[in-house]
Amino acid sequence: MTSRGSAPPSLPRHVAIIMDGNGRWANLRGLPRVEGHRMGVRAVRAVVECARELRISCLTLYAFSLENWGRPEPEVLALMTLLKEFLVSELSLLLRHRIRLRVIGETSSLPFAVRKVLERTVSATAGNTEMTLTLGLSYAGRNEIVRAARRLAAEAAEGKIAPEEITEEMFSARLDTAGTPDPDLVIRTSGELRISNFLLWQSAYAEFAFTDVLWPDFGKAEFLQALEEYSRRHRRFGLTGEQAAKLPGK
Ligand code: FPP
């Protein structure tokens, strides 16, 4: 690992990325969409390495949304294959850099073979503490919130908790992201300016950075630029500037 080098001074603890534009990247070159996804995997590798190098603790990537199941079957199959290949080929990178893999989303809908390799990678990396790489797979924020609400409702029905005692912390603890800090920075590529059902609860106070760069072209320089933009933001969390300056970590 190299030192922080030209890293900006105030780094986010958790960066989440909406990786968008693979299809357009391929279209622009007259290639099939899957080629865009293939190059997207290369960008994933580069960003994971860069985040680790910068000592960012958590990186969350929106790799496949619940809505993505509606895409043409060959594209869905190609994405599942790329995912499986990525998990197999990158295990050594995860172990070498002591990165723990986590998954959020309705993983029960993933193909059996993908679930198996995911389980293997999650358990092989469970003891790693340098960075947590979370993949959003079959993920949708509203779906995650509904599943958390169902868990709380079931516990209330069993008499384990009282509805009036439910707190935001208890709700957070039933989300797929339980135990991971909320994202400080959410990046979206490809010029789209929307959240697309990603980490809806968790992004309440996140900073957003948008870039026109298509995901396969997103690399270390673009990542550093987003981090630099973040370092210039003033996060106030609903407080006055004066109060916010006194918050821990400021
Ligand atoms: C959005 O681009 C991207 C996706 C739906 C999939 C993201 C997947 C990868 C980067 C590769 C697999 C991931 C891992 C972690 C191995 P789009 O297809 O919606 O692009 P478009 O908007 O230009 O059509």
Side-chain angles (χ1 to χ4, degrees), residues 78-88 110 114 135 137:
L79 278 167
M80 291 299 139
T81 304
L82 283 175
L83 177 64
K84 251 186 330 191
E85 288 171 1
F86 171 83
L87 292 169
V88 172
L110 293 167
V114 174
L135 296 183
L137 291 173

Side-chain angles (χ1 to χ4, degrees), residues 87-171:
L87 292 169
V88 172
S89 67
E90 300 316 309
L91 179 62
S92 59
L93 176 123
L94 298 178
L95 293 173
R96 192 166 64 248
H97 292 335
R98 296 186 297 284
I99 301 172
R100 168 185 173 217
L101 184 83
R102 270 189 84 168
V103 188
I104 54 170
E106 215 172 66
T107 48
S108 56
S109 18
L110 293 167
F112 179 75
V114 174
R115 285 203 317 261
K116 280 279 124 195
V117 67
L118 267 175
E119 274 165 27
R120 263 209 307 273
T121 317
V122 167
S123 87
T125 61
N128 292 344
T129 50
E130 291 299 318
M131 181 173 119
T132 301
L133 170 65
T134 303
L135 296 183
L137 291 173
S138 195
Y139 176 85
R142 285 185 177 179
N143 166 273
E144 179 193 31
I145 288 170
V146 167
R147 285 186 287 108
R150 281 195 198 128
R151 284 184 197 126
L152 281 173
E155 288 172 48
E158 286 168 29
K160 289 184 186 157
I161 55 170
E164 62 279 10
E165 284 166 11
I166 293 172
T167 61
E168 290 185 12
E169 288 71 28
M170 288 165 75
F171 198 90

Side-chain angles (χ1 to χ4, degrees), residues 19-25 27 33 36-41 44 61-65 68 71 75 79 82-84 86-87 135 137 190 192 214-215:
M19 309 181 287
D20 197 9
N22 295 350
R24 272 163 288 165
W25 185 94
N27 283 343
R33 291 176 60 81
H37 295 314
R38 206 182 300 284
M39 294 307 279
V41 176
V44 166
L61 303 175
Y62 203 4
F64 191 83
S65 75
N68 286 155
R71 292 197 175 195
E75 183 171 339
L79 278 167
L82 283 175
L83 177 64
K84 251 186 330 191
F86 171 83
L87 292 169
L135 296 183
L137 291 173
S190 90
E192 308 292 351
L214 302 174
W215 176 252

